[in-house]
Amino acid sequence: MELSFEQLKSMVVFAQVIEQGSLSAAAKHVGLSRAVVSYHIKKLESQLGIKLLNRSTRSIALTEAGSEYYQRCKVIVEQALAANQQIENLKNNPTGLIKITCPMNVGLHAIVPALNAFAKLYPKIQLDVNLSDEVVNIIKEGFDIAIRGAELADSGLQATKLSTLNTCLCAAPEYLQKHGRPTTPAQLTAHQWILYKLAPTTLELKKGSRSYSVKLKGNISTNNAAARTAFVEGGHGLGRIPSYDALPKIKSGRLVQLLSDYQFNDIEVYAVFPPGAAESKKLRLLIDYLKNYFKKGQQGLS
């Protein structure tokens, strides 16, 4: 005998009738009318070809066959409840794998320390962290989340802002000794730049109510933010560098900050993920944790 979905529903109703002690109580418990509960019992008896209950106006009693059948139906209900409880446990104590892709420099300085703290709070969540400055197709490559320095225009992905990344304009003392120190936006065009391939080749500056745009040129370009900083430190040109990377080198004298009285466009750091991925409890936990982590200033980005 094949088991239909409708019969499975009738078996659950039958188990509830026995558990609750009457058709009326069972109807209230499962959110059905008494007539519908009665229909399920009659249909079940018809399908099985055997009487399961002896019913009167005041009571019900299991037949011998009904008693045997109830034990099986009871297991179905128990298993369903256990399945629901397991899901609740997963929601409260999430487990599973989160695959993350992130730019290398910001990953090492900010994201990895945040993930280190996150992993201590949620030890059952597995983290697979890929550090690369390449912008990968996260859906094709199977990533759950990407950390990006801009909100993507791709409507097939969702994004939420995590933090703002402050930057400063820098050069090595060696470079400034050879080429002079620029003190105005106009003078920047005469200098060599270390070009970061994933960033615009136009630098936007502001001072008071005035805005400036500077077209950047240079003999060295790279797709890696850490390499950009290394080339700037090596005296090959100017570079706009994240503050978390530049400030220690400025304090030690390896880099010099330029045009500090001008404002540069900050970099907005986003978590990017496939549509629907935020419905995952573990992913929501991670995104919310990163937001709070950066908001509290624990990452040293400002």
Side-chain angles (χ1 to χ4, degrees), residues 20-36:
Q20 302 302 318
S22 72
L23 272 66
S24 298
K28 185 177 180 180
H29 185 75
V30 298
L32 299 173
S33 68
R34 188 184 186 285
V36 171

Side-chain angles (χ1 to χ4, degrees), residues 167-170 185 188-189 193 199-206 211-217 238-241 258-259 262-265:
T167 62
C168 54
L169 183 60
C170 297
L188 294 176
T189 58
W193 288 79
T201 55
T202 300
L203 179 68
E204 305 292 339
L205 305 88
K206 182 182 290 187
S211 298
Y212 307 86
S213 293
V214 179
K215 186 69 176 178
L216 310 182
K217 65 180 189 302
L238 311 183
R240 185 172 68 122
I241 301 173
L258 306 172
L259 277 65
Y262 286 80
Q263 292 180 310
F264 301 89
N265 285 344

Side-chain angles (χ1 to χ4, degrees), residues 96-130:
L97 175 67
I98 302 178
K99 291 188 66 178
I100 306 160
T101 178
C102 176
M104 187 172 295
N105 215 31
V106 71
L108 290 174
H109 283 87
I111 302 300
V112 169
L115 294 178
N116 183 42
F118 177 83
K120 291 178 180 178
L121 285 176
Y122 303 100
K124 292 184 179 181
I125 294 179
Q126 298 169 277
L127 300 176
D128 183 349
V129 185
N130 184 295

Side-chain angles (χ1 to χ4, degrees), residues 194-256:
I194 308 303
L195 303 176
Y196 183 47
K197 292 181 179 180
L198 304 181
T201 55
T202 300
L203 179 68
E204 305 292 339
L205 305 88
K206 182 182 290 187
K207 187 175 184 181
S209 59
R210 297 194 62 181
S211 298
Y212 307 86
S213 293
V214 179
K215 186 69 176 178
L216 310 182
K217 65 180 189 302
N219 295 329
I220 298 178
S221 61
T222 179
N223 67 342
N224 183 275
R228 173 191 55 193
T229 302
F231 282 122
V232 173
E233 193 176 349
H236 299 284
L238 311 183
R240 185 172 68 122
I241 301 173
S243 297
Y244 65 76
D245 200 7
L247 291 179
K249 296 176 174 60
I250 293 171
K251 290 178 181 178
S252 67
R254 288 178 288 168
L255 289 178
V256 176

Side-chain angles (χ1 to χ4, degrees), residues 124-180:
K124 292 184 179 181
I125 294 179
Q126 298 169 277
L127 300 176
D128 183 349
V129 185
N130 184 295
L131 296 181
S132 172
D133 286 358
E134 294 296 329
V135 179
V136 300
N137 185 321
I138 63 174
I139 295 178
K140 183 178 179 181
E141 299 295 329
F143 286 102
D144 298 296
I145 185 172
I147 307 301
R148 300 269 170 84
E151 186 175 10
L152 298 187
D154 183 358
S155 60
L157 298 173
Q158 295 180 329
T160 183
K161 183 180 173 182
L162 297 178
S163 183
T164 298
L165 187 65
N166 297 326
T167 62
C168 54
L169 183 60
C170 297
E174 176 189 351
Y175 177 87
L176 297 177
Q177 288 173 4
K178 291 181 180 179
H179 303 282

